[in-house]
Amino acid sequence: PNAFAIQMEGSSMEPLFPAGTFIIIDPSKEARDRNFVAVHMKNEKSVIFKQIFSDGRTHYLKSLNENFHQFEPIVLGANDRI
């Protein structure tokens, strides 16, 4: 009942999720290692869609597109919401 859709605006998640793709998000699902997640970053006004990786207590967000691999993974902060 709380599901919502977001649209991919860029190419960071290509080729699996091309720009323009609509993604349905179910916030009742628990995020697990290597899932694709929508995250509201504390310092951002929008929701981002990335793949999540976890090494126990720390969670990282990463793009799929190999052109973005030169960027460091995003480390989730305590106030960021999956």
Side-chain angles (χ1 to χ4, degrees):
N2 294 321
F4 61 94
I6 60 173
Q7 186 175 19
M8 287 300 301
E9 294 182 6
S11 61
S12 67
M13 296 300 284
E14 290 183 350
L16 194 56
F17 302 100
T21 299
F22 284 94
I23 300 162
I24 307 299
I25 306 295
D26 184 353
S28 67
K29 300 289 183 183
E30 181 180 338
R32 296 189 178 154
D33 188 44
R34 301 184 185 271
N35 283 165
F36 296 103
V37 296
V39 177
H40 183 260
M41 306 295 286
K42 179 184 177 190
N43 298 327
E44 301 288 328
K45 293 183 179 182
S46 61
V47 173
I48 62 172
F49 182 73
K50 301 285 183 197
Q51 188 172 24
I52 192 167
F53 294 88
S54 177
D55 68 359
R57 287 191 259 164
T58 306
H59 302 292
Y60 305 89
L61 299 176
K62 200 168 174 192
S63 299
L64 289 179
N65 189 329
E66 63 186 41
N67 293 327
F68 286 78
H69 287 180
Q70 73 271 17
F71 299 110
E72 293 293 321
I74 300 167
V75 178
L76 285 181
N79 294 319
D80 299 327
R81 293 186 0 222
I82 298 172

